[in-house]
Amino acid sequence: MSEQPVRQPNRPSASTIARRKALRRKRMIKKRLILGGMIAAVILVIVLLIVLLVNIFGVTFAEETTLTVKSDGSIVMDEVEDFDKSTYDESELEKYTQDLVDEYNEHGNVGKVKFKKAKVKDGKAYLRMEYSDYNAYKLFTGNELFVGTVGEAKTAGYDFQDTFSKVSEAKKSEAVSVEDVTADDARKVILIRANEHVVSPKDIKIISDACTTIVKKDEVAIAQPDGNKDATVLTTIIYE
């Protein structure tokens, strides 16, 4: 009998090999995308849990008395004062503050003033309050505050007779004249009479010289040189 030739297996063509490689790459990319999506979802859940826990269990207070003007015009106030527990405790502080807010809101001001949280720690009392706008803050506290434009401040009777400095990179720089400060009525301004930290919605561009120290691009500390907390000056904060 004659010998039969051994049949060689059919080898796939180059185009078939290329298709198989492309299919494997697609599967690998899909797996990577799924894995990346799962990691992103886990990170999102962790972030949401952190936010939820902060909202449930506490408020992060400023270390110094700080008034923050939000971009929508609302005011957040963190008051920090020495506290003697022998006088009254944290729960009494909360009740006293809430009673004041409830009494204020009963007279047609519902929702304009909110008591958020009080904390007593290491001989200090921390109090978080929220105000719908600067008028609510003024009426509730009796302290002077204006938030608006330079033009609106002029209409309200402010004359800007002060010495001013430009602010750049969280530092005071060259002097600015009153004429320059008041030349643009559209400039955004905060006017406050207090000894405390003030945080503006955006970076501070011009500041009153007297009793001010720039802390951050959007934050200024106001304090009397002699440390007298009862004496105050009107501070002008112009921000972008």
Side-chain angles (χ1 to χ4, degrees):
M1 293 179 64
S2 61
E3 227 177 82
Q4 296 295 324
V6 178
R7 296 185 62 182
Q8 299 293 328
N10 293 329
R11 293 184 177 180
S13 64
S15 61
T16 300
I17 293 172
R19 283 197 299 272
R20 289 175 180 173
K21 287 182 177 179
L23 184 59
R24 283 197 295 270
R25 282 198 297 269
K26 286 181 180 179
R27 288 173 179 168
M28 187 176 296
I29 291 171
K30 185 176 180 181
K31 287 180 180 177
R32 288 176 179 173
L33 289 174
I34 291 171
L35 180 60
M38 290 172 64
I39 292 171
V42 170
I43 292 172
L44 179 60
V45 169
I46 291 171
V47 170
L48 290 174
L49 283 173
I50 291 171
V51 172
L52 181 62
L53 289 172
V54 169
N55 287 334
I56 292 174
F57 294 109
V59 171
T60 302
F61 291 92
E63 291 302 316
E64 304 286 343
T65 296
T66 302
L67 183 146
T68 300
V69 179
K70 310 296 282 186
S71 58
D72 62 359
S74 62
I75 309 295
V76 176
M77 185 71 190
D78 278 2
E79 296 185 48
V80 184
E81 299 289 345
D82 293 333
F83 185 83
D84 183 2
K85 281 190 175 182
S86 65
T87 305
Y88 50 90
D89 61 20
E90 186 176 295
S91 61
E92 289 174 321
L93 175 62
E94 289 184 342
K95 184 179 185 307
Y96 172 75
T97 307
Q98 188 62 62
D99 287 346
L100 288 176
V101 171
D102 291 343
E103 183 181 354
Y104 177 84
N105 286 335
E106 283 176 0
H107 298 85
N109 300 305
V110 176
K112 293 187 176 181
V113 177
K114 295 179 182 178
F115 164 59
K116 300 301 290 184
K117 183 68 177 176
K119 180 180 75 171
V120 175
K121 183 179 180 182
D122 299 331
K124 297 280 187 181
Y126 300 83
L127 190 69
R128 167 70 58 83
M129 300 288 293
E130 292 182 0
Y131 304 88
S132 60
D133 54 31
Y134 78 91
N135 277 313
Y137 171 86
K138 280 176 61 178
L139 289 171
F140 186 78
T141 66
N143 298 330
E144 186 171 3
L145 177 67
F146 176 89
V147 179
T149 65
V150 168
E152 290 167 342
K154 290 178 186 176
T155 301
Y158 292 99
D159 59 14
F160 294 91
Q161 295 304 310
D162 208 337
T163 57
F164 301 94
S165 290
K166 284 186 178 180
V167 177
S168 178
E169 296 300 320
K171 294 180 181 178
K172 292 182 182 179
S173 56
E174 68 264 30
V176 185
S177 69
V178 174
E179 290 74 24
D180 286 340
V181 170
T182 58
D184 184 357
D185 281 350
R187 276 177 169 161
K188 296 176 182 178
V189 65
I190 299 167
L191 294 146
I192 185 169
R193 191 181 297 275
N195 296 310
E196 58 201 27
H197 286 232
V198 178
V199 178
S200 62
K202 291 188 177 181
D203 291 356
I204 298 169
K205 309 308 291 183
I206 298 173
I207 192 73
S208 298
D209 276 326
C211 307
T212 58
T213 302
I214 302 299
V215 179
K216 299 177 184 177
K217 290 182 179 182
D218 61 350
E219 182 176 350
V220 58
I222 308 168
Q224 303 304 307
D226 61 0
N228 185 353
K229 294 184 179 181
D230 294 326
T232 57
V233 297
L234 184 67
T235 297
T236 302
I237 303 165
I238 291 178
Y239 60 96
E240 69 179 10

